[in-house]
Amino acid sequence: EKGGFDHFMLKEIHEQPKAYRDTMLGRVNDDGKGVHFSDLKLTAEQIRNIRNVQIIACGTAYHAGLVGRNIIEKLAHIPVETDVASEYRYRSPIVNKDTLVIVVSQSGETADTLAALREAQANGAHVIAITNVVGSSIARDADDVIATLAGPEIAVASTKAYTSQLIAFYLFGLYMAEIRGTQTTEEITRTLAAMDSLPEQVEKVLEMAPEIKEYAEHIAQHKHLFFIGRGVDYAVVQEGSLKLKEISYIHSEAYAAGELKHGTLALIEDGIPVIALATQEDVIEKTVSNIKEVKARGGEVMVVSYEENREDLLKSVDTVMTIPRTLPILSPALSVVVLQLLAYYASLALEHDVDKPRNLAKSVTVE
Ligand code: F6R
């Protein structure tokens, strides 16, 4: 049942290329120049009139929503807020018929996400559910469903569901961009072509397993570590930090790289591992200066970036890992796989129950 893998989590990490393809299938036009969602009730007219988007979810699905915010703002030029469902539902959110609400849930059964969906609907919002289970409560109650076709996810730590949620956000972002005229056909075509390469590129990241395992065995000797990044990299490190905590029980915190010096830098001391994501060329210099601040306090830095930056980065960091080149907005679909494998191998090194971490359940149906 684990298809030759030692754990469901590793099997599911390896199923990501297929999950990407399946989630894209039937939604990209044959000519590769656009996207269609033929089963959505949300009309083009509604899409043109949307004033703001609210993305609501819990845990890993919330982290997908943080990337989703970057995607929708960049592609469709609509203001987006992303919130955790247990906060949203109790904070009198400003939501009305011109708000598009997107709830994200692998299981479709998360109690807080379901309650937030109902709260939004009661205020007149149109609610789209991005979910992996089409017969779920959330899918039933939502006005529209965008199904992620990741297949059943058994490991408690979510991997392929998260990345399929990213694919759903890319597709839906492009769809709205086309209707709102915020991206040219050339830009949309280029992004779709780059998305087409993602499955093969994930295979390349999977081949990095030996070097990631070695680094994971090193960090497994530490009690605390930090993750930093900017832009979508910040969203991805939050997911990486959760994944690591969840299955390795190593304490970590994820920071926006520019926030470190506003307090957290006080915690950096000799030998503390700091994992940086630096895939966004427009802010890479800034991230490198944050890395230097960490190095100056004795921190030990590993950075995930592109091959072209390796030589330069090695002047300021201890370890560099490189992912295949893609468009800036698409990098989360590759960089997160490094962090998933890191969490997996750290958990393995510490001999924890990878698929069934302590205190956690796959589906959280109580608030
Ligand atoms: C972490 C994890 C959880 C879930 C969260 C929401 O790996 O799996 O954080 O993402 O409990 O679950 P769903 O997506 O089913 O609503």
Side-chain angles (χ1 to χ4, degrees), residues 292-304:
K292 287 180 179 158
E293 291 159 4
V294 166
K295 284 296 295 175
R297 274 91 189 165
E300 188 203 272
V301 182
M302 190 279 266
V303 60
V304 179

Side-chain angles (χ1 to χ4, degrees), residues 58-61 104-108 110 156-158 165 242-243 246 364:
C58 303
T60 286
V104 190
S105 175
Q106 187 283 127
S107 64
T110 301
V156 165
S158 179
Q165 288 156 3
L242 174 62
K243 213 91 303 175
E246 187 177 12
V364 184

Side-chain angles (χ1 to χ4, degrees), residues 28-34 189 192:
V28 178
N29 299 347
D30 287 342
D31 63 6
K33 292 183 177 169
T189 308
L192 286 170

Side-chain angles (χ1 to χ4, degrees), residues 9 11-16 19-20 23 60-65 104-108 130-133 146-169 239 243 336 340 362:
M9 183 181 178
K11 171 172 179 267
E12 290 161 5
I13 288 173
H14 280 260
E15 283 169 347
Q16 291 178 115
Y20 288 22
T23 301
T60 286
Y62 164 72
H63 294 149
V104 190
S105 175
Q106 187 283 127
S107 64
I130 295 181
T131 180
N132 202 37
V133 182
I146 297 179
T148 50
L149 298 171
E153 193 179 62
I154 310 294
V156 165
S158 179
T159 54
K160 63 176 182 170
Y162 167 89
T163 45
S164 304
Q165 288 156 3
L166 299 187
I167 299 295
F169 273 117
E239 170 58 8
K243 213 91 303 175
V336 77
Q340 292 169 346
K362 183 66 185 162

Side-chain angles (χ1 to χ4, degrees), residues 63-106:
H63 294 149
L66 293 177
V67 181
R69 174 172 74 187
N70 282 271
I71 295 169
I72 293 173
E73 288 189 341
K74 173 142 189 127
L75 298 179
H77 300 184
I78 311 171
V80 184
E81 302 167 83
T82 301
D83 208 347
V84 291
S86 57
E87 287 297 314
Y88 179 89
R89 61 181 291 201
Y90 295 117
R91 73 170 169 83
S92 325
I94 310 297
V95 47
N96 58 45
K97 65 170 187 21
D98 297 326
T99 308
L100 175 67
V101 170
I102 304 177
V103 295
V104 190
S105 175
Q106 187 283 127

Side-chain angles (χ1 to χ4, degrees), residues 112-132:
D112 280 317
T113 309
L114 182 59
L117 175 164
R118 290 178 176 153
E119 167 83 18
Q121 272 177 337
N123 285 290
H126 188 99
V127 180
I128 297 183
I130 295 181
T131 180
N132 202 37

